Amino acid sequence: MAQASRFANKNVIVTGGASGIGRATVIRLTAEGGHVLAVDLDESGLNETVSLAQATADHGGRVSAICASITDETAVRQTVQDFVREHGQLHALINMAGVLRSSHTTDTDFQTFMQVVQINLGGTFLFCREALPYLVESKGNIVNAASTSAFFGHAYMAAYSASKGGVAALTQALSREYMNRGVRVNAVAPGGIATPMVAAQANSFPEGVDFSLYQHLTRPDRQLGEPQEVAAAIAMLASDDGAFINGAILRIDGGTHG
Ligand SMILES: NC(=O)c1ccc[n+]([C@@H]2O[C@H](COP(=O)([O-])OP(=O)(O)OC[C@H]3O[C@@H](n4cnc5c(N)ncnc54)[C@H](O)[C@@H]3O)[C@@H](O)[C@H]2O)c1
């Protein structure tokens, strides 16, 4: 199906672009004409994303990739600066890179807790900080990855939920701070989406988990959403269709938490 051209001549960075929602977003934005840079740790996943996005690119859309960690301060700065040097401007930043670990809270070591927070919240902060000066110039926007776990209590995911609550708060703080400088900052809060993260999660629950605590995450007719359904919402928020949306945390869960 032909896509709109809302990202024609728009330069966009997408983190987490090697997999899941990030990959679907790279493909969607490239199909809508965007010049998209995918950032991820996973080089082979990035190569696959680039092939997939090139196959459906339209309206002058182009895709490139860089292998880097979102927690590497120097790499994040360099990535943003190099992208702007090459393309002239940055119009949108989509922060989708993240990790999920589940464990009983009393079995969670401090290092694991902090690692999840460092990646999900710290990495998102670093990319926002480095991108904001350029987004002020372009009157651009940011879309972050929060989660329903930030608001509805996902058992055995204390670190993950806390990190996503942090992302939601970061999003709203930045949206207010930059409101008068023309930059919008929003987040998506997906529920259960069929991605490699969720597939890996299903196989790594700790012993003794009470699965009845997860009943609010699914509905009988349809267990999970698709990454493309989240990418469609991200594309709306990051395009001019979202021009009056700022500081929003958009829940995308098929109503399961409602
Ligand atoms: N899938 C869901 O149900 C769901 C629900 C709510 C929120 N989210 C959030 O959406 C985002 C995308 O999730 P997904 O399900 O597509 O996951 P995914 O595992 O399929 O993709 C995440 C990507 O992030 C990358 N990544 C992890 N750490 C990184 C780092 N330090 N530097 C660079 N890249 C790194 C991984 O390599 C991977 O390619 C995540 O932030 C996740 O927390 C997902």
Side-chain angles (χ1 to χ4, degrees), residues 128-148:
C128 289
R129 188 187 70 189
E130 296 306 320
L132 274 162
Y134 301 109
L135 295 172
V136 168
E137 275 176 31
S138 68
K139 308 280 183 238
N141 74 88
I142 295 173
V143 182
N144 290 328
S147 160
T148 48

Side-chain angles (χ1 to χ4, degrees), residues 55-245:
T56 51
D58 204 352
H59 308 289
R62 297 199 302 260
V63 60
S64 57
I66 185 161
C67 195
S69 174
I70 62 166
T71 60
D72 179 339
E73 209 167 349
T74 309
V76 172
R77 179 170 300 139
Q78 201 64 50
T79 298
V80 174
Q81 286 180 357
D82 288 351
F83 186 72
V84 173
R85 194 172 303 124
E86 189 183 343
H87 294 276
Q89 272 191 310
L90 173 66
H91 298 101
L93 167 68
I94 317 294
N95 283 307
M96 287 299 123
V99 293
L100 171 60
R101 305 272 181 270
S102 56
S103 56
H104 295 279
T105 298
T106 49
D107 295 337
T108 306
D109 59 79
F110 187 54
Q111 198 185 351
T112 304
F113 183 92
M114 291 311 292
Q115 186 193 35
V116 171
V117 172
Q118 187 183 16
I119 296 169
N120 293 355
L121 179 56
T124 300
F125 162 73
L126 284 180
F127 255 101
C128 289
R129 188 187 70 189
E130 296 306 320
L132 274 162
Y134 301 109
L135 295 172
V136 168
E137 275 176 31
S138 68
K139 308 280 183 238
N141 74 88
I142 295 173
V143 182
N144 290 328
S147 160
T148 48
S149 67
F151 310 105
F152 294 94
H154 288 193
Y156 316 109
M157 295 184 193
Y160 181 78
S161 305
S163 73
K164 293 301 183 179
V167 169
L170 173 71
T171 299
Q172 292 185 322
L174 296 183
S175 72
R176 178 61 64 124
E177 187 173 335
Y178 284 86
M179 185 165 66
N180 294 336
R181 282 179 269 178
V183 179
R184 299 183 295 110
V185 188
N186 294 296
V188 288
I193 309 298
T195 68
M197 175 183 277
V198 167
Q201 163 74 10
N203 298 322
S204 63
F205 275 111
E207 288 283 305
V209 160
D210 177 358
F211 284 104
S212 71
L213 297 175
Y214 283 104
Q215 273 165 3
H216 63 321
L217 265 74
T218 57
R219 50 186 226 191
D221 63 327
R222 193 172 162 204
Q223 291 250 311
L224 295 169
E226 295 300 324
Q228 294 80 359
E229 292 171 313
V230 183
I234 292 169
M236 182 278 290
L237 288 171
S239 74
D240 288 345
D241 285 343
F244 201 52
I245 305 176

